Amino acid sequence: VLCWTITVDKPLHVVDGDTFDVQAEIWLDGLARQERIRVLNIDTPERGQPGFDAATAFTSSWLAKGAFLITTCFRDRGGRALGIVYRDGDILADKLKEAGHQKK
């Protein structure tokens, strides 16, 4: 299992409330590449579902507040890195839940 933690200044693109893209330099090979991150422990509304825009805007705003960390050890079937996203003791998944953005 390859686990890694990186610090990211800003995302490249926010797909939805629980998925975004970053430019990452993975220590194993030292190459910078785009990674799609799926936030662990939260499931937000998908495109076309009620709450999609609000959850996506929340995540965009949270990520834009400054550098954040991503810790991941796993990938899903689609190749996305499944990660815990956090900054200064705040975990993005928890903040999304507190704000009511968890899929019903």
Side-chain angles (χ1 to χ4, degrees):
V1 174
L2 171 63
C3 296
W4 45 268
T5 297
I6 58 169
T7 300
V8 177
D9 290 326
K10 61 182 179 178
L12 295 173
H13 172 70
V14 176
V15 177
D16 59 27
D18 59 29
T19 307
F20 60 92
D21 297 328
V22 297
Q23 190 71 21
E25 185 175 316
I26 308 304
W27 67 270
L28 181 65
D29 56 21
L31 299 175
R33 62 177 168 254
Q34 185 170 317
E35 286 283 345
R36 180 149 287 180
I37 307 298
R38 171 64 169 80
V39 180
L40 277 176
N41 302 319
I42 185 73
D43 189 16
T44 63
E46 305 299 328
R47 186 174 304 280
Q49 294 180 333
F52 169 83
D53 291 333
T56 303
F58 183 95
T59 295
S60 294
S61 176
W62 194 92
L63 295 174
K65 290 179 182 173
F68 55 92
L69 291 100
I70 303 166
T71 297
T72 182
C73 292
F74 304 100
R75 291 186 182 274
D76 66 8
R77 291 182 182 155
R80 298 178 299 182
L82 303 174
I84 299 169
V85 181
Y86 55 101
R87 171 193 310 113
D88 300 328
D90 288 333
I91 298 171
L92 176 56
D94 293 345
K95 294 299 180 184
L96 281 159
K97 288 175 190 173
E98 289 170 13
H101 297 300
Q102 178 137 359
K103 191 186 289 186
K104 305 281 188 235

PDB file of all heavy atoms in Angstrom, residues 2-27:
ATOM      1  N   LEU A   2       0.639   2.127  -0.928  1.00  0.00           N
ATOM      2  CA  LEU A   2       1.384   3.383  -1.009  1.00  0.00           C
ATOM      3  C   LEU A   2       0.554   4.481  -0.366  1.00  0.00           C
ATOM      4  O   LEU A   2      -0.511   4.835  -0.855  1.00  0.00           O
ATOM      5  CB  LEU A   2       1.673   3.729  -2.470  1.00  0.00           C
ATOM      6  CG  LEU A   2       2.265   5.115  -2.716  1.00  0.00           C
ATOM      7  CD1 LEU A   2       3.631   5.237  -2.046  1.00  0.00           C
ATOM      8  CD2 LEU A   2       2.370   5.385  -4.198  1.00  0.00           C
ATOM      9  N   CYS A   3       1.028   4.997   0.755  1.00  0.00           N
ATOM     10  CA  CYS A   3       0.363   6.103   1.426  1.00  0.00           C
ATOM     11  C   CYS A   3       1.181   7.365   1.216  1.00  0.00           C
ATOM     12  O   CYS A   3       2.412   7.304   1.162  1.00  0.00           O
ATOM     13  CB  CYS A   3       0.244   5.830   2.925  1.00  0.00           C
ATOM     14  SG  CYS A   3      -0.785   4.415   3.326  1.00  0.00           S
ATOM     15  N   TRP A   4       0.498   8.494   1.106  1.00  0.00           N
ATOM     16  CA  TRP A   4       1.199   9.762   0.990  1.00  0.00           C
ATOM     17  C   TRP A   4       0.374  10.894   1.564  1.00  0.00           C
ATOM     18  O   TRP A   4      -0.834  10.820   1.645  1.00  0.00           O
ATOM     19  CB  TRP A   4       1.629  10.074  -0.438  1.00  0.00           C
ATOM     20  CG  TRP A   4       0.635   9.848  -1.541  1.00  0.00           C
ATOM     21  CD1 TRP A   4       0.489   8.710  -2.279  1.00  0.00           C
ATOM     22  CD2 TRP A   4      -0.321  10.778  -2.079  1.00  0.00           C
ATOM     23  NE1 TRP A   4      -0.510   8.875  -3.221  1.00  0.00           N
ATOM     24  CE2 TRP A   4      -1.019  10.127  -3.126  1.00  0.00           C
ATOM     25  CE3 TRP A   4      -0.666  12.093  -1.774  1.00  0.00           C
ATOM     26  CZ2 TRP A   4      -2.020  10.757  -3.856  1.00  0.00           C
ATOM     27  CZ3 TRP A   4      -1.675  12.710  -2.504  1.00  0.00           C
ATOM     28  CH2 TRP A   4      -2.328  12.042  -3.531  1.00  0.00           C
ATOM     29  N   THR A   5       1.095  11.918   2.006  1.00  0.00           N
ATOM     30  CA  THR A   5       0.485  13.145   2.478  1.00  0.00           C
ATOM     31  C   THR A   5       1.154  14.279   1.727  1.00  0.00           C
ATOM     32  O   THR A   5       2.390  14.323   1.630  1.00  0.00           O
ATOM     33  CB  THR A   5       0.683  13.341   3.996  1.00  0.00           C
ATOM     34  OG1 THR A   5       0.036  12.281   4.687  1.00  0.00           O
ATOM     35  CG2 THR A   5       0.110  14.670   4.462  1.00  0.00           C
ATOM     36  N   ILE A   6       0.345  15.165   1.167  1.00  0.00           N
ATOM     37  CA  ILE A   6       0.892  16.319   0.462  1.00  0.00           C
ATOM     38  C   ILE A   6       0.196  17.580   0.955  1.00  0.00           C
ATOM     39  O   ILE A   6      -0.917  17.535   1.458  1.00  0.00           O
ATOM     40  CB  ILE A   6       0.723  16.209  -1.072  1.00  0.00           C
ATOM     41  CG1 ILE A   6      -0.757  16.068  -1.463  1.00  0.00           C
ATOM     42  CG2 ILE A   6       1.547  15.063  -1.627  1.00  0.00           C
ATOM     43  CD1 ILE A   6      -1.024  16.208  -2.948  1.00  0.00           C
ATOM     44  N   THR A   7       0.886  18.688   0.797  1.00  0.00           N
ATOM     45  CA  THR A   7       0.304  19.999   1.048  1.00  0.00           C
ATOM     46  C   THR A   7      -0.003  20.615  -0.304  1.00  0.00           C
ATOM     47  O   THR A   7       0.832  20.585  -1.209  1.00  0.00           O
ATOM     48  CB  THR A   7       1.286  20.895   1.816  1.00  0.00           C
ATOM     49  OG1 THR A   7       1.599  20.268   3.064  1.00  0.00           O
ATOM     50  CG2 THR A   7       0.689  22.269   2.078  1.00  0.00           C
ATOM     51  N   VAL A   8      -1.193  21.157  -0.431  1.00  0.00           N
ATOM     52  CA  VAL A   8      -1.650  21.748  -1.686  1.00  0.00           C
ATOM     53  C   VAL A   8      -2.074  23.186  -1.405  1.00  0.00           C
ATOM     54  O   VAL A   8      -2.754  23.453  -0.419  1.00  0.00           O
ATOM     55  CB  VAL A   8      -2.838  20.945  -2.266  1.00  0.00           C
ATOM     56  CG1 VAL A   8      -3.360  21.581  -3.532  1.00  0.00           C
ATOM     57  CG2 VAL A   8      -2.436  19.499  -2.501  1.00  0.00           C
ATOM     58  N   ASP A   9      -1.649  24.114  -2.261  1.00  0.00           N
ATOM     59  CA  ASP A   9      -2.024  25.522  -2.087  1.00  0.00           C
ATOM     60  C   ASP A   9      -3.439  25.805  -2.569  1.00  0.00           C
ATOM     61  O   ASP A   9      -4.152  26.613  -1.984  1.00  0.00           O
ATOM     62  CB  ASP A   9      -1.052  26.433  -2.828  1.00  0.00           C
ATOM     63  CG  ASP A   9       0.312  26.438  -2.161  1.00  0.00           C
ATOM     64  OD1 ASP A   9       0.374  26.330  -0.923  1.00  0.00           O
ATOM     65  OD2 ASP A   9       1.322  26.538  -2.883  1.00  0.00           O
ATOM     66  N   LYS A  10      -3.824  25.161  -3.676  1.00  0.00           N
ATOM     67  CA  LYS A  10      -5.167  25.374  -4.220  1.00  0.00           C
ATOM     68  C   LYS A  10      -5.491  24.237  -5.179  1.00  0.00           C
ATOM     69  O   LYS A  10      -4.600  23.635  -5.766  1.00  0.00           O
ATOM     70  CB  LYS A  10      -5.275  26.717  -4.939  1.00  0.00           C
ATOM     71  CG  LYS A  10      -4.349  26.861  -6.121  1.00  0.00           C
ATOM     72  CD  LYS A  10      -4.463  28.221  -6.761  1.00  0.00           C
ATOM     73  CE  LYS A  10      -3.490  28.314  -7.924  1.00  0.00           C
ATOM     74  NZ  LYS A  10      -3.564  29.559  -8.614  1.00  0.00           N
ATOM     75  N   PRO A  11      -6.769  23.948  -5.346  1.00  0.00           N
ATOM     76  CA  PRO A  11      -7.150  22.897  -6.282  1.00  0.00           C
ATOM     77  C   PRO A  11      -7.069  23.406  -7.724  1.00  0.00           C
ATOM     78  O   PRO A  11      -7.123  24.616  -7.963  1.00  0.00           O
ATOM     79  CB  PRO A  11      -8.591  22.585  -5.894  1.00  0.00           C
ATOM     80  CG  PRO A  11      -9.104  23.881  -5.361  1.00  0.00           C
ATOM     81  CD  PRO A  11      -7.926  24.523  -4.669  1.00  0.00           C
ATOM     82  N   LEU A  12      -6.941  22.489  -8.662  1.00  0.00           N
ATOM     83  CA  LEU A  12      -7.009  22.854 -10.078  1.00  0.00           C
ATOM     84  C   LEU A  12      -8.460  23.043 -10.500  1.00  0.00           C
ATOM     85  O   LEU A  12      -8.788  23.940 -11.270  1.00  0.00           O
ATOM     86  CB  LEU A  12      -6.383  21.759 -10.942  1.00  0.00           C
ATOM     87  CG  LEU A  12      -4.895  21.520 -10.770  1.00  0.00           C
ATOM     88  CD1 LEU A  12      -4.468  20.296 -11.562  1.00  0.00           C
ATOM     89  CD2 LEU A  12      -4.104  22.743 -11.196  1.00  0.00           C
ATOM     90  N   HIS A  13      -9.336  22.171  -9.965  1.00  0.00           N
ATOM     91  CA  HIS A  13     -10.739  22.175 -10.370  1.00  0.00           C
ATOM     92  C   HIS A  13     -11.549  21.441  -9.309  1.00  0.00           C
ATOM     93  O   HIS A  13     -11.129  20.381  -8.836  1.00  0.00           O
ATOM     94  CB  HIS A  13     -10.884  21.458 -11.717  1.00  0.00           C
ATOM     95  CG  HIS A  13     -12.289  21.234 -12.149  1.00  0.00           C
ATOM     96  ND1 HIS A  13     -13.129  22.241 -12.554  1.00  0.00           N
ATOM     97  CD2 HIS A  13     -13.021  20.095 -12.239  1.00  0.00           C
ATOM     98  CE1 HIS A  13     -14.301  21.731 -12.869  1.00  0.00           C
ATOM     99  NE2 HIS A  13     -14.266  20.432 -12.686  1.00  0.00           N
ATOM    100  N   VAL A  14     -12.679  21.995  -8.922  1.00  0.00           N
ATOM    101  CA  VAL A  14     -13.597  21.307  -8.009  1.00  0.00           C
ATOM    102  C   VAL A  14     -14.701  20.689  -8.859  1.00  0.00           C
ATOM    103  O   VAL A  14     -15.412  21.386  -9.578  1.00  0.00           O
ATOM    104  CB  VAL A  14     -14.175  22.276  -6.957  1.00  0.00           C
ATOM    105  CG1 VAL A  14     -15.202  21.568  -6.091  1.00  0.00           C
ATOM    106  CG2 VAL A  14     -13.054  22.852  -6.098  1.00  0.00           C
ATOM    107  N   VAL A  15     -14.819  19.379  -8.798  1.00  0.00           N
ATOM    108  CA  VAL A  15     -15.784  18.630  -9.593  1.00  0.00           C
ATOM    109  C   VAL A  15     -17.160  18.687  -8.941  1.00  0.00           C
ATOM    110  O   VAL A  15     -18.170  18.934  -9.597  1.00  0.00           O
ATOM    111  CB  VAL A  15     -15.334  17.161  -9.763  1.00  0.00           C
ATOM    112  CG1 VAL A  15     -16.369  16.350 -10.521  1.00  0.00           C
ATOM    113  CG2 VAL A  15     -13.971  17.097 -10.437  1.00  0.00           C
ATOM    114  N   ASP A  16     -17.184  18.422  -7.638  1.00  0.00           N
ATOM    115  CA  ASP A  16     -18.408  18.497  -6.844  1.00  0.00           C
ATOM    116  C   ASP A  16     -18.001  18.633  -5.385  1.00  0.00           C
ATOM    117  O   ASP A  16     -16.828  18.862  -5.091  1.00  0.00           O
ATOM    118  CB  ASP A  16     -19.347  17.310  -7.100  1.00  0.00           C
ATOM    119  CG  ASP A  16     -18.739  15.952  -6.794  1.00  0.00           C
ATOM    120  OD1 ASP A  16     -17.826  15.874  -5.943  1.00  0.00           O
ATOM    121  OD2 ASP A  16     -19.178  14.965  -7.391  1.00  0.00           O
ATOM    122  N   GLY A  17     -18.945  18.478  -4.469  1.00  0.00           N
ATOM    123  CA  GLY A  17     -18.649  18.706  -3.064  1.00  0.00           C
ATOM    124  C   GLY A  17     -17.641  17.760  -2.457  1.00  0.00           C
ATOM    125  O   GLY A  17     -16.996  18.085  -1.474  1.00  0.00           O
ATOM    126  N   ASP A  18     -17.473  16.578  -3.037  1.00  0.00           N
ATOM    127  CA  ASP A  18     -16.534  15.619  -2.462  1.00  0.00           C
ATOM    128  C   ASP A  18     -15.438  15.153  -3.419  1.00  0.00           C
ATOM    129  O   ASP A  18     -14.731  14.191  -3.142  1.00  0.00           O
ATOM    130  CB  ASP A  18     -17.289  14.409  -1.884  1.00  0.00           C
ATOM    131  CG  ASP A  18     -18.135  13.683  -2.920  1.00  0.00           C
ATOM    132  OD1 ASP A  18     -17.781  13.695  -4.114  1.00  0.00           O
ATOM    133  OD2 ASP A  18     -19.161  13.094  -2.533  1.00  0.00           O
ATOM    134  N   THR A  19     -15.258  15.864  -4.529  1.00  0.00           N
ATOM    135  CA  THR A  19     -14.233  15.476  -5.501  1.00  0.00           C
ATOM    136  C   THR A  19     -13.594  16.718  -6.109  1.00  0.00           C
ATOM    137  O   THR A  19     -14.294  17.653  -6.497  1.00  0.00           O
ATOM    138  CB  THR A  19     -14.844  14.613  -6.629  1.00  0.00           C
ATOM    139  OG1 THR A  19     -15.556  13.518  -6.053  1.00  0.00           O
ATOM    140  CG2 THR A  19     -13.769  14.073  -7.559  1.00  0.00           C
ATOM    141  N   PHE A  20     -12.262  16.707  -6.191  1.00  0.00           N
ATOM    142  CA  PHE A  20     -11.551  17.821  -6.809  1.00  0.00           C
ATOM    143  C   PHE A  20     -10.213  17.341  -7.360  1.00  0.00           C
ATOM    144  O   PHE A  20      -9.731  16.264  -7.014  1.00  0.00           O
ATOM    145  CB  PHE A  20     -11.364  18.978  -5.815  1.00  0.00           C
ATOM    146  CG  PHE A  20     -10.590  18.623  -4.569  1.00  0.00           C
ATOM    147  CD1 PHE A  20      -9.221  18.805  -4.512  1.00  0.00           C
ATOM    148  CD2 PHE A  20     -11.243  18.119  -3.463  1.00  0.00           C
ATOM    149  CE1 PHE A  20      -8.509  18.476  -3.356  1.00  0.00           C
ATOM    150  CE2 PHE A  20     -10.547  17.797  -2.298  1.00  0.00           C
ATOM    151  CZ  PHE A  20      -9.175  17.978  -2.259  1.00  0.00           C
ATOM    152  N   ASP A  21      -9.635  18.142  -8.238  1.00  0.00           N
ATOM    153  CA  ASP A  21      -8.353  17.830  -8.861  1.00  0.00           C
ATOM    154  C   ASP A  21      -7.259  18.729  -8.288  1.00  0.00           C
ATOM    155  O   ASP A  21      -7.501  19.915  -8.014  1.00  0.00           O
ATOM    156  CB  ASP A  21      -8.409  18.063 -10.373  1.00  0.00           C
ATOM    157  CG  ASP A  21      -9.409  17.154 -11.066  1.00  0.00           C
ATOM    158  OD1 ASP A  21      -9.604  16.020 -10.607  1.00  0.00           O
ATOM    159  OD2 ASP A  21      -9.998  17.590 -12.076  1.00  0.00           O
ATOM    160  N   VAL A  22      -6.056  18.157  -8.119  1.00  0.00           N
ATOM    161  CA  VAL A  22      -4.899  18.913  -7.668  1.00  0.00           C
ATOM    162  C   VAL A  22      -3.691  18.555  -8.519  1.00  0.00           C
ATOM    163  O   VAL A  22      -3.667  17.501  -9.154  1.00  0.00           O
ATOM    164  CB  VAL A  22      -4.559  18.637  -6.176  1.00  0.00           C
ATOM    165  CG1 VAL A  22      -5.689  19.079  -5.266  1.00  0.00           C
ATOM    166  CG2 VAL A  22      -4.184  17.188  -5.940  1.00  0.00           C
ATOM    167  N   GLN A  23      -2.708  19.433  -8.523  1.00  0.00           N
ATOM    168  CA  GLN A  23      -1.407  19.115  -9.101  1.00  0.00           C
ATOM    169  C   GLN A  23      -0.577  18.582  -7.943  1.00  0.00           C
ATOM    170  O   GLN A  23      -0.413  19.274  -6.929  1.00  0.00           O
ATOM    171  CB  GLN A  23      -0.756  20.371  -9.702  1.00  0.00           C
ATOM    172  CG  GLN A  23       0.474  20.092 -10.514  1.00  0.00           C
ATOM    173  CD  GLN A  23       0.172  19.398 -11.831  1.00  0.00           C
ATOM    174  OE1 GLN A  23      -0.944  19.456 -12.336  1.00  0.00           O
ATOM    175  NE2 GLN A  23       1.158  18.742 -12.391  1.00  0.00           N
ATOM    176  N   ALA A  24      -0.096  17.361  -8.038  1.00  0.00           N
ATOM    177  CA  ALA A  24       0.592  16.723  -6.917  1.00  0.00           C
ATOM    178  C   ALA A  24       1.942  16.184  -7.349  1.00  0.00           C
ATOM    179  O   ALA A  24       2.072  15.601  -8.417  1.00  0.00           O
ATOM    180  CB  ALA A  24      -0.267  15.595  -6.360  1.00  0.00           C
ATOM    181  N   GLU A  25       2.921  16.385  -6.479  1.00  0.00           N
ATOM    182  CA  GLU A  25       4.227  15.755  -6.680  1.00  0.00           C
ATOM    183  C   GLU A  25       4.310  14.616  -5.679  1.00  0.00           C
ATOM    184  O   GLU A  25       4.430  14.839  -4.474  1.00  0.00           O
ATOM    185  CB  GLU A  25       5.353  16.749  -6.446  1.00  0.00           C
ATOM    186  CG  GLU A  25       6.711  16.166  -6.755  1.00  0.00           C
ATOM    187  CD  GLU A  25       7.825  17.188  -6.651  1.00  0.00           C
ATOM    188  OE1 GLU A  25       7.643  18.308  -7.154  1.00  0.00           O
ATOM    189  OE2 GLU A  25       8.857  16.844  -6.067  1.00  0.00           O
ATOM    190  N   ILE A  26       4.213  13.414  -6.168  1.00  0.00           N
ATOM    191  CA  ILE A  26       4.209  12.240  -5.310  1.00  0.00           C
ATOM    192  C   ILE A  26       5.654  11.839  -5.047  1.00  0.00           C
ATOM    193  O   ILE A  26       6.444  11.701  -5.973  1.00  0.00           O
ATOM    194  CB  ILE A  26       3.423  11.076  -5.962  1.00  0.00           C
ATOM    195  CG1 ILE A  26       2.043  11.547  -6.403  1.00  0.00           C
ATOM    196  CG2 ILE A  26       3.340   9.886  -5.025  1.00  0.00           C
ATOM    197  CD1 ILE A  26       1.206  12.168  -5.307  1.00  0.00           C
ATOM    198  N   TRP A  27       5.999  11.643  -3.796  1.00  0.00           N
ATOM    199  CA  TRP A  27       7.380  11.409  -3.393  1.00  0.00           C
ATOM    200  C   TRP A  27       7.993  10.166  -4.027  1.00  0.00           C
ATOM    201  O   TRP A  27       9.190  10.097  -4.241  1.00  0.00           O
ATOM    202  CB  TRP A  27       7.510  11.328  -1.882  1.00  0.00           C
ATOM    203  CG  TRP A  27       6.830  10.131  -1.287  1.00  0.00           C
ATOM    204  CD1 TRP A  27       5.556  10.053  -0.848  1.00  0.00           C
ATOM    205  CD2 TRP A  27       7.382   8.834  -1.113  1.00  0.00           C
ATOM    206  NE1 TRP A  27       5.268   8.797  -0.401  1.00  0.00           N
ATOM    207  CE2 TRP A  27       6.371   8.018  -0.548  1.00  0.00           C
ATOM    208  CE3 TRP A  27       8.620   8.261  -1.371  1.00  0.00           C
ATOM    209  CZ2 TRP A  27       6.580   6.676  -0.245  1.00  0.00           C
ATOM    210  CZ3 TRP A  27       8.823   6.920  -1.065  1.00  0.00           C
ATOM    211  CH2 TRP A  27       7.819   6.150  -0.512  1.00  0.00           C
TER     212      TRP A  27
END
